Amino acid sequence: MFADTKLFYAISALIAIGIVFSLSLSAFTVLYLDYASYHFFIRQLIVGMLGIFIIWFISRLNPNRIILGNLSTFEVIGFFIFFSSFLLMIIMQFLPASIVPVTGGAKRWIRLGGISLSPVEFFKIGFVFFLAWSFTRKIDNNKKRLKDEFKILFPYFILFGMAVFLIAILQKDLGQVVVLTLVLMILATFAGTSKKFFGTIGVVGIILVVLAIISQPHRIRRFQSWWVTNQDFILSILPSNIAEFMRISDAEEPYQITHSLNAIYHGGFFGVGLGNGTFKLGFLSEVHTDFVLAGIAEEIGFVGILAITYLMIYIIYRIFRVSSRSENKVYHLFALGVGSIITLAFLMNAYGITSITPIKGIAVPFLSYGGSSVLALCVGIGMVLMISKKADLS
């Protein structure tokens, strides 16, 4: 059995909550697309149960057991996820539209029958493993010149550049690139790189994000929509001449954000009741996916969202606890990376639906409808629980 049973039960509870709201929040979408009444619920129930089984199965394995050449169980699983997902992201660009449909001008999902797979979700877990495994061998805590650090990490920049091209350019998914960039910075820092290197990479990352935004018209429109919503407050603290220069007057406030904020406000303190939300009835699209927190806030209110947030924080705490108490540096960095992915995804989505930051299209971990996100995270959690047996959690 795995060491951290509390993490297992907390994840299972969050998955169960996601299954319940996949039924409640998808009511209008089911009618609009003429699906069976329990279409989304049944699919998410199957994914949720499969995800819990994956966590349980992987967690029972011995991470240190050598099973292939010199590779341990933990390494075999990690390398398989990394290379298979990376290969799929390349191959899917050459597959016909019958298998990889074009959605929003990009190929993001592989569809076989009634099953859809998003390789990028699994790549994030594989990427974390590869960085943890490789950084442990390449980076130490000895002080080095900035030039030497760049030489050590240059191959990773090449790999990351390839991933950025596949995800941000071909799949037009900037949100996932932001997550990967931040995870790369976090793991490189905890692996032993200097603060100066961290700051340099941060500046370069910001420049690349800005270039990625201005290179695509739809990203410019999305940023303008966010700016219109927040500009009055921001510009009020700036000098009048600068404020007038930065003001945008010919862009409309974003439809989705307006209804998202209204849904949250309508929920009040205790919510309107499970299943009684109104903004999910055609006003707020994608409410069971990207805007699931807004839909949940309307139905179970501030108290319900507070409870879910506490559960999410508790899960993140348990993962970081495994990381901090793992003597094996690969295990330490891997758990840290998985916890960082969950943290960043939750914050980016929560900030996006409340207009604190622009919408990135990032799913809420374990709550948003979608099999790939849930299953990929379950694989990551299973690996964290697997290595928790080797950590001192007493």
Side-chain angles (χ1 to χ4, degrees):
M1 191 62 176
F2 39 82
D4 200 340
T5 54
K6 293 179 179 179
L7 175 58
F8 175 78
Y9 292 130
I11 291 288
S12 300
L14 200 59
I15 290 175
I17 293 171
I19 293 171
V20 170
F21 280 100
S22 71
L23 174 63
S24 174
L25 299 180
S26 64
F28 177 80
T29 307
V30 164
L31 294 174
Y32 183 76
L33 298 177
D34 195 26
Y35 287 151
S37 299
Y38 297 99
H39 173 83
F40 293 104
F41 172 73
I42 292 174
R43 292 168 70 92
Q44 196 70 359
L45 176 63
I46 294 173
V47 166
M49 297 302 293
L50 178 59
I52 292 173
F53 173 76
I54 288 173
I55 294 174
W56 174 83
F57 178 78
I58 294 178
S59 67
R60 293 180 65 85
L61 301 176
N62 181 355
N64 294 338
R65 182 184 178 186
I66 303 300
I67 61 173
L68 184 62
N70 294 323
L71 298 178
S72 66
T73 303
F74 178 77
E75 291 170 328
V76 169
I77 295 174
F79 278 122
F80 175 77
I81 296 171
F82 175 71
F83 286 114
S84 60
S85 58
F86 191 74
L87 186 61
L88 282 176
M89 287 198 300
I90 297 174
I91 293 175
M92 67 188 294
Q93 301 302 324
F94 302 98
L95 295 177
S98 58
I99 299 177
V100 185
V102 178
T103 306
K107 293 183 175 182
R108 297 181 180 177
W109 293 276
I110 299 174
R111 292 182 180 174
L112 296 173
I115 301 175
S116 296
L117 177 70
S118 177
V120 69
E121 297 290 349
F122 293 89
F123 176 74
K124 288 188 294 185
I125 302 299
F127 185 69
V128 164
F129 163 79
F130 180 77
L131 291 182
W133 179 85
S134 190
F135 280 175
T136 300
R137 287 157 175 76
K138 295 287 186 179
I139 302 175
D140 54 45
N141 291 316
N142 297 326
K143 291 185 177 181
K144 296 181 179 66
R145 295 179 301 172
L146 189 61
K147 180 181 178 180
D148 295 330
E149 289 184 316
F150 270 103
K151 285 182 179 179
I152 293 173
L153 294 174
F154 183 74
Y156 301 98
F157 298 149
I158 299 297
L159 172 66
F160 185 70
M162 295 171 63
V164 169
F165 176 77
L166 291 170
I167 300 170
I169 306 301
L170 297 184
Q171 297 189 27
K172 297 182 179 181
D173 193 346
L174 182 60
Q176 301 288 11
V177 170
V178 172
V179 172
L180 292 176
T181 302
L182 293 174
V183 169
L184 173 61
M185 294 172 61
I186 292 170
L187 293 189
T189 301
F190 279 84
T193 57
S194 65
K195 295 179 180 179
K196 185 183 294 185
F197 181 84
F198 179 87
T200 303
I201 294 300
V203 172
V204 172
I206 292 173
I207 294 173
L208 291 177
V209 169
V210 172
L211 291 176
I213 292 174
I214 64 177
S215 65
Q216 294 289 337
H218 74 280
R219 290 175 186 154
I220 295 175
R221 291 193 297 270
R222 184 177 295 179
F223 181 81
Q224 287 178 334
S225 296
W226 168 79
W227 180 253
V228 166
T229 306
N230 295 275
Q231 65 178 349
D232 289 340
F233 170 74
I234 297 174
L235 297 181
S236 65
I237 60 177
L238 297 177
S240 57
N241 57 333
I242 298 177
E244 287 304 315
F245 175 76
M246 297 179 64
R247 184 175 298 279
I248 298 176
S249 56
D250 57 348
E252 297 181 356
E253 291 193 10
Y255 176 88
Q256 283 284 78
I257 291 298
T258 300
H259 285 304
S260 175
L261 293 172
N262 287 336
I264 295 170
Y265 176 77
H266 187 225
F269 203 72
F270 294 105
V272 297
L274 185 63
N276 295 328
T278 56
F279 281 87
K280 66 185 180 185
L281 303 177
F283 298 100
L284 187 59
S285 61
E286 301 178 350
V287 67
H288 59 303
T289 55
D290 293 348
F291 286 84
V292 65
L293 288 177
I296 292 175
E298 184 185 16
E299 298 200 347
I300 61 176
F302 172 77
V303 173
I305 285 292
L306 191 63
I308 288 175
T309 302
Y310 171 78
L311 184 58
M312 190 73 72
I313 293 173
Y314 182 73
I315 288 169
I316 294 167
Y317 161 73
R318 301 299 302 189
I319 296 172
F320 286 158
R321 185 168 177 263
V322 173
S323 172
S324 65
R325 301 192 179 187
S326 295
E327 295 183 2
N328 185 308
K329 191 173 181 181
V330 178
Y331 297 168
H332 161 63
L333 292 176
F334 178 79
L336 175 66
V338 172
S340 298
I341 286 177
I342 294 174
T343 303
L344 292 169
F346 181 70
L347 291 177
M348 288 172 66
N349 186 282
Y351 289 171
I353 66 167
T354 53
S355 194
I356 296 175
T357 62
I359 289 290
K360 289 290 190 298
I362 297 292
V364 182
F366 305 107
L367 290 179
S368 292
Y369 173 82
S372 294
S373 173
V374 173
L375 293 179
L377 286 174
C378 285
V379 171
I381 292 296
M383 295 176 70
V384 169
L385 286 173
M386 177 170 59
I387 63 181
S388 73
K389 293 181 292 187
K390 303 301 179 180
D392 181 13
L393 300 181
S394 58

